[in-house]
Amino acid sequence: EIDETAIGRLGDRPTLDDVTKWAASLRGQFLLILWFERIRRAFVIVDRTSSMPVYWRRDGDTVLVSPRTLTLAEANPHGLTVRRTAIYEFMGSGHLWGDGTYWNEIHRVGPGRVLCLDGSKVTCLPYWEMRVEPTLRSWSQASDALTRAIDSDMSALPEGKAILTLSGGYDSRALLGLLHRAGRDFETISYSFGDQFAQGYDLEVGTHFAKKLGVTHHVYHADVFNSERVIRDFENCVRITGGETDAVTAQDAFLGEGFYREMNRRYACVLRGDEVWGWGDRVLSTRMALWQTLLFTLDQITGPRRLLQPRAFEEGMAELHRRHEDMLKEASIRDVNMLKDYLYWRHRESRLIQNLRQYCRAFVPHYAPFLFGEALDVVRRLPTPMRSRKRLFIRTMEATFPELFVTDVAPTKMTPIKSRFHVLYEQPAYKDYLRHVLLDDPPKGWFEMFDRDAFERWLVETTAPPAEVKIRADRGYDLGRKAYDLLRRNEWFLGATMAIGVKTRRLRFPTRSVTYLNRLLTLASALKAAERM
């Protein structure tokens, strides 16, 4: 716990180095702002995965700090300039990278960082990073260490009745077992964001495991047939999160404010199995490490080349290559698998966790115990074979809860027969909304970047009747996923194949047009929100 006694250890004249060392001892999800009157200095401290956002900007000789970018934008809207590289980052990955925002003047305080405000001087330093130093060589030793760390993190959860979001994946299943073993007062919930499934859809996976332990389970189906409600919650998501990732508008907007307010009425907090156990498959090159963390250039996914003006496409390619070089220089890690996990934590996972939970947390407290700190420190001490594909975590949980992992035959997750976007794009009111935001009244300079005619043709095609869109677009997507699943059976063969594909620039990540349209809607809405200030 962080109280006056803990803060008192800093004294009344701490240096930045003092605060950085002190911050390294903290655990949990937190955002601290400390003011020391004697030295007229403030420190802003963000937890290890930046689960609670904070941004800053200069306004003359004053430095402004806020948890929302649009609040800082509103302070001096005429002093903002759009960071074009951010637009290309978002188009490539569906989220912003590093600590940048959509504006050159507004900056994010990244994960595990301390921001020092000394008059008009601003300094930002890390106190914790996902820099792997393998010391746990024995599988049994590592498993014991991870078990103790997880138990310690779980003990830090607050009291009160909780609701666990249960997808049926390894992380939420493990959290289900841990909460049940600890005798916690909790229930579980699985939800659909509006997708329509055939028999045996993925909600049944969560239901299956909750019933095995006799835990109360709820199923929530988001209503996507009320386009006015979806639009209202979509715009609310953008206002709260700044529109920095399309994941929040593809999920939370469909659940909506009403859902989270109901969770707040019935429960003390929401629990999730968010984690950073180790990301993806083994990689064999630097370029593949960037690919695996989904930090794509514009030619590595389907979509941007078709929609952008040729000059904007080339500019975007050059900017993102420059960003990649900056990332690699900042990381300064030679081992490509250690680099991959650092990049994932620093430039992808921390932004997704921050923005997705930011919307939820606006209405109900939210916790992810696997990110509290103890387990993260164990992950930093694991060699690649234990981190890759989350092997150590999975083995440990299989041994701890065999009834949830080893001896089970559960329903298999399925691709929806009609996605939430297919359902939404059938509605005339939502089609009109898309056309208004993206074609009739887009952000300033929108069609200096995009080819208007190509964009309009693509919009019409993408919002065509779902059966036509799915037959045409999903075939390529599904083939790509099947090929990946086949190659993934052999980790080294997959690594070599993908490394060659990335090097020769023949590998393309299959993006669905119906979801990519939501990405561009999020981007345009974020830029328009600042213009309305």
Side-chain angles (χ1 to χ4, degrees), residues 23 203 211 224 227 243 255 308 396 429 512:
L203 293 187
K211 283 183 176 179
V224 296
S227 56
L255 294 174
L308 287 170
T396 302
R512 297 176 187 265

Side-chain angles (χ1 to χ4, degrees), residues 27 48 128-150 276-278 338 341 373-388 392:
R27 299 291 187 274
R48 299 177 184 204
W128 192 95
E129 295 184 296
M130 184 57 77
R131 295 186 179 274
V132 178
E133 298 177 2
T135 58
L136 294 169
R137 301 294 182 181
S138 161
W139 282 87
S140 60
Q141 178 191 20
S143 183
D144 289 344
L146 183 62
T147 298
R148 290 193 299 271
I150 289 174
V276 191
W277 304 118
M338 295 180 184
D341 285 335
E374 298 292 343
L376 285 174
D377 281 338
V378 172
V379 173
R380 273 204 312 186
R381 297 161 58 199
L382 300 178
T384 295
M386 296 184 191
R387 298 193 324 276
S388 183
L392 179 71

